[in-house]
Structures are given as structure tokens and as C-alpha cells.
Amino acid sequence: KQEVTQIPAALSVPEGENLVLNCSFTDSAIYNLQWFRQDPGKGLTSLLLIQSSQREQTSGRLNASLDKSSGRSTLYIAASQPGDSATYLCAVEGPGYSTLTFGKGTMLLVSP
Amino acid sequence: DTEVTQTPKHLVMGMTNKKSLKCEQHMGHRAMYWYKQKAKKPPELMFVYSYEKLSINESVPSRFSPECPNSSLLNLHLHALQPEDSALYLCASSSNQGSGNTIYFGEGSWLTVV
């Protein structure tokens, strides 16, 4: 059974810092890994999708890397802003799994 | 247009009521999903429809009844719910089930059972 772990569970940083969120998964047989953002009381917004054959994806100030063999992904946020405050979820999809398997998320607070 | 639209945004219902949640997408996606999310927990899969047929039911109680009238619409019919069913219900869609493509989520419907 696939298990996804996210560290840290919560993170508080001052504005402007670069930060890294971590995601690990137990079964390396995945199709892809997807990072989502969720604001309080809202749905999930897809940030980045990394296919299993890819090593990283970038979108603006966000960069996600994937090391499938070691079962790890990181989400790098450059020059953090208060508007980045949200919960960040990673999820993997793979053969034998019905759909996405989610981690419990990292709650990020960026203070002005 | 990468939008999944859910209605209503908020719903309060009694334990004897019958209500429905609705979801719509116009991206031509053939896989649609219902997830349930409790506070401070990750989403949990409930149902998957692939090409308008129910492909996965994650042992969801029969008081939740999904329906896919056409490729753009997904409903979740609710009847005789319990207070512990109060949660955020998320609809999602993707090109195909298990295709490795991006899964798009709606804003969710907040359900409170009283």
C-alpha cells in the first residue's frame, strides 16, 4: 500500500525567505506526483505535476523535484510572500492505485 | 478553461432530508471523482467514474449515491446522513482514470448535517 509523508507538518517563516517542503512515498512505482495548494475552506489548486520520467518542473517561483528511486519530492518556494500562506499537499498516482494518494500536508504561514 | 464547478457551496441538511451535490466540467474529461475531506485531513476518495460508468466505490455507505448523467456532470445524492458525514465534498476530473494527467479539483461543497 502506498504511503505518502510530508515534512514538516507546519512551517512559519518571515516574508522573503526561500523554503523547501518535503514529500516522501513508499512505493516508487508511480505515474506521477502532483503538488496542490489548499486555502482554508477552499478546494485544491494544482501547482505542479511531475511525470515519473521527469526530474523537475518549474512554475514562477515554484520548483518541484522528483527522485523516484529514493521516493522523494521537494517543493521549493523562492522569495516567499504572505499570499503563499496555505496548506500544501503532495499526492502520487500509480498502477494498482485507484487514484491519488495524498500526504497530510504542510501548513505554511508567511508573515509580513 | 480548467474549471470544475460545484454547487451548492454550502448545504445544511437534517438527517431525514434528501439533497444532492452537483459537479460540472467542460474540459472533455472522461474521469470524474468524488472526495470527502474532514478538517485538517487530506481528501479521501469516495467514487470514480470513468466514461460515465462507476469504476470505483471505496466502500462508501449507501446513504451516498453517485450519478453521472453525462460526460460533463456528476451528482452525489444524499439521504439519511449522519452528523459525522459533515465535511467538505470535493469533485475532481482528469482526462482519463489512471492516465497520469493533472487532476483538477472544484472549490468543494461544505456539508453540515444537523
Side-chain angles (χ1 to χ4, degrees), chain A residues 10-27:
Chain A
L11 183 62
S12 182
V13 299
E15 182 177 8
E17 277 203 7
N18 302 324
L19 53 98
V20 173
L21 308 182
N22 296 292
C23 173
S24 61
F25 46 95
T26 54
D27 187 346

Side-chain angles (χ1 to χ4, degrees), chain A residues 56-94:
Chain A
E56 66 178 322
Q57 283 286 331
T58 298
S59 176
R61 294 182 294 107
L62 305 179
N63 175 277
S65 67
L66 174 64
D67 184 342
K68 199 174 75 154
S69 60
S70 67
R72 294 178 188 276
S73 176
T74 60
L75 179 66
Y76 176 83
I77 303 177
S80 58
Q81 303 171 357
D84 295 330
S85 299
T87 295
Y88 291 80
L89 293 153
C90 78
V92 296
E93 185 178 16

Side-chain angles (χ1 to χ4, degrees), chain A residues 31-32 34 36 38 41-46 49 51 89 93 98-100 102-104 107, chain B residues 33 35 37 40 42-43 45 56 58 88 90 97-103 105-107 110:
Chain A
Y31 289 142
N32 61 48
Q34 198 164 346
F36 294 91
Q38 186 172 30
K42 300 289 188 180
L44 278 66
T45 300
S46 179
L49 173 75
Q51 301 287 357
L89 293 153
E93 185 178 16
S98 50
T99 180
L100 297 173
F102 283 89
K104 292 185 178 180
M107 189 182 303
Chain B
Y33 313 81
Y35 284 82
Q37 187 178 26
K40 299 191 184 302
L45 181 68
I56 294 171
E58 291 283 353
L88 178 66
L90 294 163
Q97 182 187 346
S99 62
N101 292 319
T102 300
I103 295 181
F105 282 80
E107 286 291 308
W110 277 104

Side-chain angles (χ1 to χ4, degrees), chain B residues 5-107:
Chain B
T5 304
Q6 291 188 241
T7 56
K9 293 193 185 316
H10 298 274
L11 177 63
V12 179
M13 61 184 290
M15 289 188 284
T16 58
N17 291 160
K18 285 185 181 180
K19 297 286 184 183
S20 297
L21 305 180
K22 297 184 185 300
C23 175
E24 190 169 1
Q25 57 86 16
H26 295 287
M27 295 177 276
H29 288 172
R30 305 313 299 268
M32 297 186 76
Y33 313 81
W34 279 115
Y35 284 82
K36 173 182 177 179
Q37 187 178 26
K38 302 282 277 185
K40 299 191 184 302
K41 299 285 188 183
E44 295 176 349
L45 181 68
M46 299 176 72
F47 302 104
V48 181
Y49 272 82
S50 180
Y51 288 85
E52 299 153 57
K53 287 186 168 48
L54 182 65
S55 66
I56 294 171
N57 176 342
E58 291 283 353
S59 303
V60 179
S62 59
R63 57 186 185 269
F64 295 92
S65 175
E67 179 197 19
C68 190
N70 60 55
S71 60
S72 299
L73 294 175
L74 184 66
N75 299 321
L76 185 63
H77 302 299
L78 313 170
H79 174 54
L81 295 193
Q82 303 296 312
E84 59 264 29
D85 296 322
S86 299
L88 178 66
Y89 287 84
L90 294 163
C91 175
S93 72
S94 64
S95 300
N96 289 293
Q97 182 187 346
S99 62
N101 292 319
T102 300
I103 295 181
Y104 296 92
F105 282 80
E107 286 291 308

